[in-house]
Amino acid sequence: MQGVFAGAERVLAAVGGLALFALNDVRMFQWLPRVADPGDGRVHSVALTLWGASDQVYVTAFDLGLRWGLAGLTFGLCLWAVLETVRPGVGKTGRPQDL
């Protein structure tokens, strides 16, 4: 049974990163304005599609940076999960294990 769940933390980390990115997109789609507001700093246009509905929202530089940061985090976690999965026979010490 131990072999079945070995490395599950990698998959959970990647899915968690993707969930954070998706929740941020839901937040942006639901609550951000559809019209630019230069006084509030919402001048950057982002096109979002959620559940088949497409719309354009206007975000601040912070929201834009947060979205790209979460995208980078998700990509990094998925890359880490793939790289750890395709390295067979290497333990946590970095040396090949004796089989």
Side-chain angles (χ1 to χ4, degrees):
M1 197 65 156
Q2 195 66 292
V4 173
F5 295 110
E9 70 275 359
R10 298 186 296 256
V11 174
L12 290 175
V15 169
L18 185 59
L20 282 175
F21 181 79
L23 285 174
N24 185 52
D25 270 9
V26 168
R27 176 193 66 89
M28 289 171 48
F29 191 82
Q30 294 293 327
W31 290 296
L32 292 182
R34 304 311 194 247
V35 179
D37 185 10
D40 195 22
R42 299 185 192 283
V43 293
H44 303 286
S45 173
V46 174
L48 295 175
T49 302
L50 191 66
W51 296 301
S54 296
D55 211 348
Q56 191 170 7
V57 298
Y58 289 88
V59 299
T60 63
F62 175 76
D63 288 325
L64 197 59
L66 180 65
R67 186 167 195 243
W68 278 104
L70 287 173
L73 175 69
T74 302
F75 179 75
L77 289 171
C78 290
L79 185 65
W80 170 66
V82 168
L83 290 177
E84 286 292 318
T85 302
V86 297
R87 289 187 344 179
V90 178
K92 293 185 186 238
T93 62
R95 293 177 285 162
Q97 296 175 351
D98 293 329
L99 297 176

